[in-house]
C-alpha cells in the first residue's frame, strides 16, 4: 500500500488537463484516503462491501448486452473498459480478470498512484490516468463505468456528456449513485457518516441525483437508460441488489 507521496509506477499516465467537472476539494478528500483504500477494514470498508454487489449487476449486464456465455470466465475478452472515478482500482482489477483491457481515470493523483502500485503487486496490466475525463484524448471503450462518482462532480451534464463521448458504438455504460431521498439523507449521511462507516464529509445530499434526472441527462447524449436496480441494505443481508431504489441504485445505458 502506497502513501500519498508515492509516485506512479510505469503503468500510470498523468494528465495536466483540468476541466469543469472536477471539484478540487472532492479530489483532495478522496486522495487523503488513498493510503488505505485497499484495506477492507479501513476508511473504504463500505466500498469493499459494495464492490461484489456492483460486480454481480455488471456481470449480468455484460452477459445480456453481448449475449455471452454466462459460464465464461472471461466475458470481456477482446474488449476495452474504462472506469471513471476509479479510486485505487477496486473495480478495475476485477474487470481485468474478466478479460478486459482496462483504463482507470481518477481526479486524485494519490489514488492513481495507489492503484498502479496495487495492480503491479497483483501482476495486472492496467493503465491508470490522473485527470479530467473530458480533457483526455484516450479513445473510446466497449464498457464505460462510473460508480459512486456523479454525485461528486461539479457539472453533471458535462460529466455525462464526457462519459458518452468515451463509449464506443455498440458499447455498454454502467453507473451507480445514491438517490436523493429522505432515506439516503438519513442512512448514508446521518447514520453511516455519523458513526464512521463512511468517512465524514464524503457525501453532500443536495448533490445526489434521482433516477429520472439521470435518465434525462443520458437521453440528451443519445443514450437510453435501462431499468434501475436498487442497492439496498438490511442487517440480515447487508448490501444487496433490490427493487428498492430509495438508498442507492445502479443502471445501464446504451445507444438508442
Amino acid at each position: 500500500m502506497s502513501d500519498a507521496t508515492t509516485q506512479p509506477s510505469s503503468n500510470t499516465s498523468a494528465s495536466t488537463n483540468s476541466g469543469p467537472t472536477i471539484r478540487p476539494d472532492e479530489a483532495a478528500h478522496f486522495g487523503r484516503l488513498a493510503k488505505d483504500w485497499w484495506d477492507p477494514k479501513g476508511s473504504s470498508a463500505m466500498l469493499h462491501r459494495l464492490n461484489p454487489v456492483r460486480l454481480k449487476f455488471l456481470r449480468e449486464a455484460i452477459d445480456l448486452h453481448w449475449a455471452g456465455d454466462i459460464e465464461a470466465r472471461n466475458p470481456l475478452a477482446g474488449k476495452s473498459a474504462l472506469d471513471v472515478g476509479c479510486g485505487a482500482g477496486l473495480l478495475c482489477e476485477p474487470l481485468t480478470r474478466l478479460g478486459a483491457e482496462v483504463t482507470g481515470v481518477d481526479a486524485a493523483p494519490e489514488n492513481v498512484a495507489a492503484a498502479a502500485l496495487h495492480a503491479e503487486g497483483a501482476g495486472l496490466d492496467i493503465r491508470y490516468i490522473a485527470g479530467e475525463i473530458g480533457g483526455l484524448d484516450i479513445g473510446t471503450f466497449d464498457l464505460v463505468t462510473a460508480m459512486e462518482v456523479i454525485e461528486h462532480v461539479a457539472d453533471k451534464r458535462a460529466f455525462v456528456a464526457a462519459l458518452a463521448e468515451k463509449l464506443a458504438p455498440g458499447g455498454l455504460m454502467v453507473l451507480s449513485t445514491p438517490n436523493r431521498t429522505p432515506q439516503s439523507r438519513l442512512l448514508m449521511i446521518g447514520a453511516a457518516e455519523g458513526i464512521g462507516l463512511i468517512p465524514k464529509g464524503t457525501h453532500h445530499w443536495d448533490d445526489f441525483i434521482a433516477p429520472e434526472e439521470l435518465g434525462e441527462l443520458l437521453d440528451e447524449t443519445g443514450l437510453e437508460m435501462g431499468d434501475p436496480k436498487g442497492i439496498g441494505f438490511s442487517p440480515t443481508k447487508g448490501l444487496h441488489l433490490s427493487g428498492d431504489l430509495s438508498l442507492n441504485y445502479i443502471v445501464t445505458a446504451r445507444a438508442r
Side-chain angles (χ1 to χ4, degrees), residues 173-224:
M173 185 184 295
V174 181
L175 310 171
S176 68
T177 187
N179 198 351
R180 194 176 65 255
T181 64
Q183 294 94 322
S184 67
R185 186 199 289 267
L186 176 64
L187 293 176
M188 295 188 67
I189 298 176
E193 291 194 19
I195 64 175
L197 288 176
I198 298 173
K200 188 174 290 294
T202 294
H203 294 117
H204 304 282
W205 184 82
D206 289 341
D207 288 326
F208 290 179
I209 182 169
E212 56 272 18
E213 296 167 342
L214 179 57
E216 290 174 1
L217 294 180
L218 289 165
D219 184 67
E220 291 177 9
T221 70
L223 299 179
E224 182 177 4

Short mmCIF file of all heavy atoms in Angstrom, two decimals, residues 173-224:
data_model
loop_
_atom_site.label_atom_id
_atom_site.label_comp_id
_atom_site.label_asym_id
_atom_site.label_seq_id
_atom_site.Cartn_x
_atom_site.Cartn_y
_atom_site.Cartn_z
N MET A 173 -22.67 1.20 -20.95
CA MET A 173 -22.29 2.05 -19.83
C MET A 173 -23.02 1.58 -18.58
O MET A 173 -24.19 1.18 -18.65
CB MET A 173 -22.64 3.51 -20.13
CG MET A 173 -22.17 4.49 -19.06
SD MET A 173 -22.70 6.21 -19.40
CE MET A 173 -21.79 6.54 -20.91
N VAL A 174 -22.35 1.62 -17.45
CA VAL A 174 -22.96 1.26 -16.17
C VAL A 174 -22.60 2.33 -15.14
O VAL A 174 -21.42 2.66 -14.96
CB VAL A 174 -22.52 -0.12 -15.67
CG1 VAL A 174 -23.20 -0.45 -14.34
CG2 VAL A 174 -22.85 -1.21 -16.71
N LEU A 175 -23.62 2.87 -14.48
CA LEU A 175 -23.43 3.92 -13.48
C LEU A 175 -24.13 3.51 -12.19
O LEU A 175 -25.19 2.87 -12.22
CB LEU A 175 -24.05 5.24 -13.96
CG LEU A 175 -23.69 5.74 -15.36
CD1 LEU A 175 -24.57 6.94 -15.72
CD2 LEU A 175 -22.24 6.13 -15.42
N SER A 176 -23.55 3.91 -11.07
CA SER A 176 -24.25 3.75 -9.80
C SER A 176 -24.09 5.03 -8.99
O SER A 176 -23.08 5.74 -9.11
CB SER A 176 -23.72 2.54 -9.01
OG SER A 176 -22.39 2.76 -8.55
N THR A 177 -25.10 5.34 -8.18
CA THR A 177 -25.08 6.59 -7.42
C THR A 177 -26.17 6.57 -6.35
O THR A 177 -27.17 5.87 -6.50
CB THR A 177 -25.30 7.79 -8.37
OG1 THR A 177 -25.11 9.01 -7.67
CG2 THR A 177 -26.68 7.76 -9.00
N PRO A 178 -26.01 7.32 -5.28
CA PRO A 178 -27.09 7.43 -4.30
C PRO A 178 -28.28 8.20 -4.88
O PRO A 178 -28.11 9.13 -5.67
CB PRO A 178 -26.46 8.21 -3.15
CG PRO A 178 -24.99 8.08 -3.33
CD PRO A 178 -24.78 8.01 -4.81
N ASN A 179 -29.46 7.80 -4.48
CA ASN A 179 -30.68 8.52 -4.84
C ASN A 179 -30.88 9.69 -3.86
O ASN A 179 -30.44 9.62 -2.70
CB ASN A 179 -31.88 7.57 -4.78
CG ASN A 179 -33.08 8.09 -5.55
OD1 ASN A 179 -33.10 9.22 -5.99
ND2 ASN A 179 -34.09 7.25 -5.68
N ARG A 180 -31.51 10.75 -4.32
CA ARG A 180 -31.78 11.90 -3.45
C ARG A 180 -33.15 11.74 -2.80
O ARG A 180 -34.17 12.20 -3.30
CB ARG A 180 -31.70 13.20 -4.25
CG ARG A 180 -31.62 14.46 -3.36
CD ARG A 180 -31.45 15.75 -4.15
NE ARG A 180 -32.61 16.04 -4.98
CZ ARG A 180 -32.66 15.87 -6.29
NH1 ARG A 180 -31.62 15.40 -6.95
NH2 ARG A 180 -33.77 16.18 -6.96
N THR A 181 -33.15 11.06 -1.67
CA THR A 181 -34.38 10.76 -0.95
C THR A 181 -34.18 11.02 0.54
O THR A 181 -33.03 11.10 1.02
CB THR A 181 -34.77 9.28 -1.13
OG1 THR A 181 -33.75 8.46 -0.53
CG2 THR A 181 -34.94 8.91 -2.60
N PRO A 182 -35.25 11.11 1.30
CA PRO A 182 -35.09 11.24 2.76
C PRO A 182 -34.34 10.05 3.36
O PRO A 182 -33.58 10.21 4.31
CB PRO A 182 -36.54 11.29 3.25
CG PRO A 182 -37.33 11.83 2.10
CD PRO A 182 -36.67 11.26 0.88
N GLN A 183 -34.53 8.85 2.77
CA GLN A 183 -33.85 7.66 3.29
C GLN A 183 -32.34 7.76 3.13
O GLN A 183 -31.57 7.39 4.02
CB GLN A 183 -34.37 6.41 2.59
CG GLN A 183 -35.83 6.09 2.88
CD GLN A 183 -36.77 6.66 1.83
OE1 GLN A 183 -36.55 7.75 1.32
NE2 GLN A 183 -37.81 5.91 1.52
N SER A 184 -31.90 8.26 1.96
CA SER A 184 -30.46 8.36 1.74
C SER A 184 -29.84 9.42 2.65
O SER A 184 -28.72 9.27 3.13
CB SER A 184 -30.15 8.64 0.27
OG SER A 184 -30.60 9.93 -0.12
N ARG A 185 -30.57 10.49 2.88
CA ARG A 185 -30.07 11.52 3.81
C ARG A 185 -29.90 10.94 5.21
O ARG A 185 -28.88 11.15 5.89
CB ARG A 185 -31.01 12.72 3.86
CG ARG A 185 -30.46 13.88 4.70
CD ARG A 185 -31.57 14.84 5.12
NE ARG A 185 -32.11 15.62 4.03
CZ ARG A 185 -31.66 16.84 3.69
NH1 ARG A 185 -30.66 17.38 4.35
NH2 ARG A 185 -32.23 17.51 2.70
N LEU A 186 -30.91 10.19 5.65
CA LEU A 186 -30.88 9.63 6.99
C LEU A 186 -29.81 8.56 7.16
O LEU A 186 -29.03 8.58 8.11
CB LEU A 186 -32.26 9.04 7.32
CG LEU A 186 -32.39 8.32 8.66
CD1 LEU A 186 -32.18 9.30 9.81
CD2 LEU A 186 -33.74 7.62 8.77
N LEU A 187 -29.76 7.61 6.20
CA LEU A 187 -28.90 6.44 6.36
C LEU A 187 -27.47 6.69 5.92
O LEU A 187 -26.52 6.28 6.59
CB LEU A 187 -29.49 5.25 5.62
CG LEU A 187 -30.80 4.71 6.17
CD1 LEU A 187 -31.34 3.58 5.30
CD2 LEU A 187 -30.62 4.22 7.61
N MET A 188 -27.27 7.34 4.75
CA MET A 188 -25.93 7.47 4.22
C MET A 188 -25.15 8.61 4.86
O MET A 188 -23.94 8.51 5.05
CB MET A 188 -25.97 7.66 2.70
CG MET A 188 -26.53 6.46 1.96
SD MET A 188 -26.37 6.61 0.17
CE MET A 188 -24.60 6.53 -0.04
N ILE A 189 -25.86 9.69 5.18
CA ILE A 189 -25.16 10.84 5.76
C ILE A 189 -25.34 10.87 7.28
O ILE A 189 -24.37 10.88 8.03
CB ILE A 189 -25.64 12.14 5.11
CG1 ILE A 189 -25.32 12.11 3.61
CG2 ILE A 189 -24.99 13.35 5.79
CD1 ILE A 189 -25.83 13.30 2.83
N GLY A 190 -26.58 10.84 7.72
CA GLY A 190 -26.82 10.91 9.16
C GLY A 190 -26.26 9.73 9.92
O GLY A 190 -25.55 9.89 10.92
N ALA A 191 -26.55 8.51 9.43
CA ALA A 191 -26.12 7.31 10.16
C ALA A 191 -24.72 6.86 9.77
O ALA A 191 -23.81 6.80 10.61
CB ALA A 191 -27.13 6.18 9.92
N ALA A 192 -24.51 6.53 8.49
CA ALA A 192 -23.24 5.93 8.07
C ALA A 192 -22.05 6.86 8.30
O ALA A 192 -21.01 6.45 8.82
CB ALA A 192 -23.31 5.50 6.61
N GLU A 193 -22.20 8.14 7.92
CA GLU A 193 -21.11 9.08 8.17
C GLU A 193 -21.05 9.45 9.65
O GLU A 193 -19.98 9.69 10.19
CB GLU A 193 -21.26 10.33 7.31
CG GLU A 193 -21.03 10.07 5.82
CD GLU A 193 -20.85 11.35 5.02
OE1 GLU A 193 -20.54 12.40 5.63
OE2 GLU A 193 -20.99 11.29 3.79
N GLY A 194 -22.21 9.45 10.29
CA GLY A 194 -22.25 9.82 11.70
C GLY A 194 -21.49 8.86 12.59
O GLY A 194 -20.85 9.28 13.56
N ILE A 195 -21.54 7.56 12.28
CA ILE A 195 -20.86 6.57 13.12
C ILE A 195 -19.56 6.08 12.50
O ILE A 195 -18.92 5.18 13.03
CB ILE A 195 -21.78 5.37 13.42
CG1 ILE A 195 -22.14 4.60 12.15
CG2 ILE A 195 -23.03 5.83 14.13
CD1 ILE A 195 -22.94 3.33 12.41
N GLY A 196 -19.16 6.66 11.37
CA GLY A 196 -17.85 6.35 10.80
C GLY A 196 -17.80 5.21 9.82
O GLY A 196 -16.71 4.81 9.40
N LEU A 197 -18.96 4.66 9.40
CA LEU A 197 -18.93 3.62 8.37
C LEU A 197 -18.46 4.18 7.03
O LEU A 197 -17.87 3.48 6.21
CB LEU A 197 -20.32 2.99 8.21
CG LEU A 197 -20.80 2.09 9.34
CD1 LEU A 197 -22.23 1.63 9.07
CD2 LEU A 197 -19.88 0.89 9.50
N ILE A 198 -18.76 5.45 6.79
CA ILE A 198 -18.28 6.20 5.63
C ILE A 198 -17.57 7.43 6.17
O ILE A 198 -18.06 8.07 7.11
CB ILE A 198 -19.46 6.61 4.72
CG1 ILE A 198 -20.18 5.38 4.18
CG2 ILE A 198 -18.98 7.49 3.57
CD1 ILE A 198 -21.45 5.71 3.41
N PRO A 199 -16.37 7.78 5.63
CA PRO A 199 -15.67 8.96 6.14
C PRO A 199 -16.55 10.21 6.10
O PRO A 199 -17.22 10.48 5.10
CB PRO A 199 -14.48 9.09 5.18
CG PRO A 199 -14.23 7.70 4.70
CD PRO A 199 -15.59 7.06 4.59
N LYS A 200 -16.54 10.95 7.18
CA LYS A 200 -17.37 12.15 7.29
C LYS A 200 -16.99 13.16 6.21
O LYS A 200 -15.82 13.36 5.91
CB LYS A 200 -17.21 12.79 8.68
CG LYS A 200 -18.17 13.93 8.95
CD LYS A 200 -18.05 14.41 10.39
CE LYS A 200 -18.60 13.40 11.38
NZ LYS A 200 -20.07 13.23 11.24
N GLY A 201 -17.98 13.74 5.59
CA GLY A 201 -17.74 14.71 4.53
C GLY A 201 -17.70 14.11 3.15
O GLY A 201 -17.52 14.82 2.15
N THR A 202 -17.89 12.78 3.05
CA THR A 202 -17.84 12.12 1.74
C THR A 202 -19.01 12.55 0.86
O THR A 202 -18.86 12.74 -0.35
CB THR A 202 -17.84 10.59 1.90
OG1 THR A 202 -16.62 10.20 2.55
CG2 THR A 202 -17.95 9.88 0.56
N HIS A 203 -20.20 12.68 1.46
CA HIS A 203 -21.39 12.94 0.68
C HIS A 203 -22.03 14.28 1.02
O HIS A 203 -21.94 14.75 2.17
CB HIS A 203 -22.44 11.84 0.91
CG HIS A 203 -22.02 10.51 0.40
ND1 HIS A 203 -21.83 9.41 1.22
CD2 HIS A 203 -21.75 10.07 -0.86
CE1 HIS A 203 -21.46 8.38 0.49
NE2 HIS A 203 -21.40 8.76 -0.77
N HIS A 204 -22.66 14.88 0.02
CA HIS A 204 -23.48 16.08 0.19
C HIS A 204 -24.83 15.75 -0.44
O HIS A 204 -24.93 15.58 -1.66
CB HIS A 204 -22.81 17.28 -0.47
CG HIS A 204 -21.41 17.53 0.03
ND1 HIS A 204 -21.15 18.13 1.24
CD2 HIS A 204 -20.20 17.21 -0.50
CE1 HIS A 204 -19.85 18.20 1.44
NE2 HIS A 204 -19.25 17.64 0.39
N TRP A 205 -25.84 15.68 0.38
CA TRP A 205 -27.14 15.16 -0.07
C TRP A 205 -27.72 15.93 -1.24
O TRP A 205 -28.32 15.36 -2.15
CB TRP A 205 -28.12 15.16 1.11
CG TRP A 205 -29.45 14.55 0.78
CD1 TRP A 205 -29.75 13.21 0.76
CD2 TRP A 205 -30.64 15.25 0.44
NE1 TRP A 205 -31.08 13.04 0.43
CE2 TRP A 205 -31.66 14.28 0.23
CE3 TRP A 205 -30.98 16.60 0.31
CZ2 TRP A 205 -32.96 14.61 -0.12
CZ3 TRP A 205 -32.27 16.94 -0.03
CH2 TRP A 205 -33.24 15.94 -0.25
N ASP A 206 -27.51 17.24 -1.28
CA ASP A 206 -28.05 18.05 -2.38
C ASP A 206 -27.47 17.65 -3.73
O ASP A 206 -28.05 17.96 -4.77
CB ASP A 206 -27.78 19.53 -2.13
CG ASP A 206 -28.62 20.09 -0.99
OD1 ASP A 206 -29.63 19.45 -0.64
OD2 ASP A 206 -28.26 21.15 -0.45
N ASP A 207 -26.32 16.99 -3.73
CA ASP A 207 -25.67 16.58 -4.97
C ASP A 207 -26.13 15.21 -5.45
O ASP A 207 -25.75 14.79 -6.55
CB ASP A 207 -24.15 16.56 -4.80
CG ASP A 207 -23.57 17.96 -4.72
OD1 ASP A 207 -24.11 18.85 -5.38
OD2 ASP A 207 -22.57 18.14 -4.00
N PHE A 208 -26.91 14.50 -4.65
CA PHE A 208 -27.44 13.21 -5.10
C PHE A 208 -28.39 13.44 -6.27
O PHE A 208 -28.99 14.52 -6.41
CB PHE A 208 -28.17 12.51 -3.96
CG PHE A 208 -27.27 12.00 -2.86
CD1 PHE A 208 -27.82 11.36 -1.75
CD2 PHE A 208 -25.89 12.17 -2.90
CE1 PHE A 208 -27.01 10.88 -0.73
CE2 PHE A 208 -25.08 11.71 -1.88
CZ PHE A 208 -25.63 11.06 -0.79
N ILE A 209 -28.55 12.44 -7.12
CA ILE A 209 -29.35 12.58 -8.33
C ILE A 209 -30.38 11.46 -8.40
O ILE A 209 -30.07 10.28 -8.16
CB ILE A 209 -28.45 12.59 -9.58
CG1 ILE A 209 -29.27 12.79 -10.86
CG2 ILE A 209 -27.57 11.36 -9.67
CD1 ILE A 209 -28.41 13.07 -12.08
N ALA A 210 -31.60 11.83 -8.70
CA ALA A 210 -32.69 10.85 -8.81
C ALA A 210 -32.60 10.13 -10.15
O ALA A 210 -32.07 10.66 -11.13
CB ALA A 210 -34.03 11.56 -8.68
N PRO A 211 -33.14 8.91 -10.22
CA PRO A 211 -33.06 8.14 -11.48
C PRO A 211 -33.63 8.87 -12.68
O PRO A 211 -33.06 8.83 -13.77
CB PRO A 211 -33.85 6.88 -11.16
CG PRO A 211 -33.75 6.71 -9.69
CD PRO A 211 -33.73 8.10 -9.13
N GLU A 212 -34.76 9.54 -12.50
CA GLU A 212 -35.36 10.23 -13.65
C GLU A 212 -34.49 11.39 -14.13
O GLU A 212 -34.43 11.69 -15.33
CB GLU A 212 -36.77 10.74 -13.31
CG GLU A 212 -36.88 11.65 -12.11
CD GLU A 212 -37.07 10.91 -10.79
OE1 GLU A 212 -36.79 9.69 -10.73
OE2 GLU A 212 -37.53 11.57 -9.83
N GLU A 213 -33.78 12.03 -13.22
CA GLU A 213 -32.86 13.10 -13.60
C GLU A 213 -31.67 12.55 -14.37
O GLU A 213 -31.24 13.14 -15.38
CB GLU A 213 -32.39 13.85 -12.35
CG GLU A 213 -33.51 14.58 -11.61
CD GLU A 213 -33.10 15.04 -10.23
OE1 GLU A 213 -32.09 14.53 -9.69
OE2 GLU A 213 -33.80 15.91 -9.68
N LEU A 214 -31.13 11.44 -13.90
CA LEU A 214 -30.02 10.80 -14.61
C LEU A 214 -30.47 10.34 -15.99
O LEU A 214 -29.74 10.49 -16.98
CB LEU A 214 -29.48 9.62 -13.80
CG LEU A 214 -28.32 8.85 -14.42
CD1 LEU A 214 -27.14 9.77 -14.72
CD2 LEU A 214 -27.89 7.71 -13.49
N GLY A 215 -31.67 9.79 -16.06
CA GLY A 215 -32.20 9.35 -17.35
C GLY A 215 -32.29 10.49 -18.35
O GLY A 215 -32.00 10.32 -19.54
N GLU A 216 -32.68 11.68 -17.88
CA GLU A 216 -32.78 12.84 -18.76
C GLU A 216 -31.40 13.27 -19.27
O GLU A 216 -31.24 13.62 -20.45
CB GLU A 216 -33.44 14.01 -18.02
CG GLU A 216 -34.92 13.79 -17.74
CD GLU A 216 -35.52 14.89 -16.87
OE1 GLU A 216 -34.76 15.82 -16.50
OE2 GLU A 216 -36.72 14.81 -16.56
N LEU A 217 -30.39 13.24 -18.40
CA LEU A 217 -29.04 13.59 -18.82
C LEU A 217 -28.51 12.60 -19.85
O LEU A 217 -27.87 13.00 -20.83
CB LEU A 217 -28.10 13.65 -17.62
CG LEU A 217 -28.37 14.74 -16.59
CD1 LEU A 217 -27.35 14.67 -15.46
CD2 LEU A 217 -28.35 16.11 -17.23
N LEU A 218 -28.76 11.33 -19.64
CA LEU A 218 -28.32 10.32 -20.59
C LEU A 218 -29.04 10.48 -21.93
O LEU A 218 -28.45 10.35 -23.00
CB LEU A 218 -28.55 8.92 -20.02
CG LEU A 218 -27.62 8.53 -18.87
CD1 LEU A 218 -28.17 7.31 -18.14
CD2 LEU A 218 -26.21 8.24 -19.39
N ASP A 219 -30.32 10.79 -21.85
CA ASP A 219 -31.11 10.97 -23.06
C ASP A 219 -30.56 12.11 -23.92
O ASP A 219 -30.54 12.02 -25.15
CB ASP A 219 -32.56 11.24 -22.68
CG ASP A 219 -33.47 11.34 -23.90
OD1 ASP A 219 -33.67 10.32 -24.58
OD2 ASP A 219 -33.97 12.45 -24.18
N GLU A 220 -30.08 13.15 -23.28
CA GLU A 220 -29.51 14.28 -24.01
C GLU A 220 -28.28 13.88 -24.82
O GLU A 220 -27.95 14.52 -25.82
CB GLU A 220 -29.13 15.40 -23.04
CG GLU A 220 -30.31 16.10 -22.40
CD GLU A 220 -29.88 17.14 -21.39
OE1 GLU A 220 -28.66 17.44 -21.32
OE2 GLU A 220 -30.74 17.67 -20.66
N THR A 221 -27.59 12.83 -24.40
CA THR A 221 -26.39 12.38 -25.10
C THR A 221 -26.69 11.28 -26.12
O THR A 221 -25.77 10.76 -26.76
CB THR A 221 -25.35 11.83 -24.11
OG1 THR A 221 -25.81 10.58 -23.56
CG2 THR A 221 -25.08 12.81 -22.98
N GLY A 222 -27.97 10.92 -26.27
CA GLY A 222 -28.33 9.87 -27.20
C GLY A 222 -28.30 8.48 -26.61
O GLY A 222 -28.38 7.48 -27.34
N LEU A 223 -28.22 8.39 -25.28
CA LEU A 223 -28.20 7.09 -24.60
C LEU A 223 -29.52 6.84 -23.90
O LEU A 223 -30.15 7.76 -23.37
CB LEU A 223 -27.06 7.02 -23.58
CG LEU A 223 -25.63 7.18 -24.13
CD1 LEU A 223 -24.63 7.12 -22.99
CD2 LEU A 223 -25.32 6.11 -25.17
N GLU A 224 -29.92 5.60 -23.87
CA GLU A 224 -31.16 5.20 -23.20
C GLU A 224 -30.81 4.44 -21.92
O GLU A 224 -30.05 3.48 -21.95
CB GLU A 224 -32.00 4.31 -24.12
CG GLU A 224 -33.32 3.89 -23.50
CD GLU A 224 -34.18 3.06 -24.45
OE1 GLU A 224 -33.70 2.74 -25.56
OE2 GLU A 224 -35.31 2.74 -24.07
#
